[in-house]
Amino acid sequence: KAFRDSGEDISSILAKEDQSYSPPPHLARFQGLSATHGITLTPEHPIDPERAVLYLKGWIFPTDASINVAMSQSDSYSPMPPQVQVRNNEGDWQTVIANMGFPMGKNKTVRVDLAGKFITDDHSVRIVTNMQLYWDHAFFAEESLDRPVERTTLSPDTADLQYRGFSHMYKTSPFGPHLFDHDSLSTAPRWIDLEGLYTRYGDVSQLLQTTNDQYVIMNAGDAMSITFDATRAPTLPTGWKRHFILYTNGWLKDGDLNTAHGKTVEPLPYNGMNSYPYGPDEGYPLNADNLLYLEAYNTRSVTNERFRDWLKP
């Protein structure tokens, strides 16, 4: 069963993954926030409290840099990450996970480890937050993590950076996220560009082999096609299954007016920086290898003139 705090039964909405979403009841003044609200989830069958896991799939409508600045200047608004609560011996809801995390983007899955979190034999769980979250599917499971796991790392065999344009944006349900039609493109400018030197188009596979400070710097509308040779992975033993995870290490910088250095590509981030923007005693490491990288790859100059010309009548 699944119920809102108001008593509304949303069991059918969360019973399966079908892009039918449970929205927050009342949105707040700022994008990304709502009135504090909770949903209570009760497993259909008794579960082992020492192996209990909760899965939730959904999406988040985020705040942005300007909204975060506005909230920092107000005592009335503050994001509360989703908390996990269970019944205590007095029958009250008690928070056992102060921050369970949330779906990082559109239609993502959150795994919540509930092992050892239940205080009583009541295995209902309440998720409470004031973030603008939309849930599509929820279910409980019992998991055993004592199975052997082997990890195989496959480095990219090819990586090609090119301009592609912007996919057509659409929605499949009133409370669903915006999705994108990969085969329907527009090459018209969409946003004002951050000015500076971007990675030149072409082969960039060398930049993706290790985690370092040599990035593929992509602009809005760019696309990078990456291939992996899965035949280099070992043959699976009988009864084993293989799952693929795409691991990325990178940095996202938007052009919000309240984003630090939000008009330019530089200063470049780097692994190990204490903060961004960093102070005068820190800087992108200009060692011999990084200087060669900058000179060989980051040669594509981008200004905002094309966007400004596009806006002219």
Side-chain angles (χ1 to χ4, degrees), residues 205-267:
S205 57
Q206 193 62 36
L207 301 180
L208 303 181
Q209 301 302 315
T210 60
T211 296
N212 54 25
D213 298 318
Q214 300 179 11
Y215 310 100
V216 178
I217 304 178
M218 302 174 64
N219 191 22
D222 288 348
M224 182 166 54
S225 300
I226 309 171
T227 65
F228 300 84
D229 182 4
T231 63
R232 292 191 280 111
T235 302
L236 289 177
T238 302
W240 283 54
K241 293 182 179 180
R242 173 169 287 141
H243 300 271
F244 291 93
I245 297 175
L246 179 64
Y247 177 85
T248 61
N249 179 288
W251 180 266
L252 173 65
K253 182 178 181 181
D254 65 30
D256 189 280
L257 293 177
N258 282 291
T259 295
H261 305 294
K263 295 182 179 181
T264 58
V265 174
E266 293 187 334

Side-chain angles (χ1 to χ4, degrees), residues 11-74:
S11 303
S12 60
I13 297 177
L14 302 186
K16 58 183 179 179
E17 183 182 333
D18 58 1
Q19 298 186 39
S20 174
Y21 299 88
S22 170
H26 302 289
L27 299 183
R29 176 183 179 185
F30 293 119
Q31 167 192 303
L33 292 185
S34 69
T36 301
H37 60 284
I39 58 173
T40 299
L41 307 170
T42 304
E44 182 179 10
H45 306 290
I47 56 174
D48 183 347
E50 297 305 318
R51 299 195 298 133
V53 177
L54 174 64
Y55 284 89
L56 299 120
K57 184 167 186 176
W59 67 285
I60 184 171
F61 205 126
T63 61
D64 58 32
S66 292
I67 292 174
N68 292 339
V69 169
M71 288 192 297
S72 72
Q73 298 170 348
S74 169

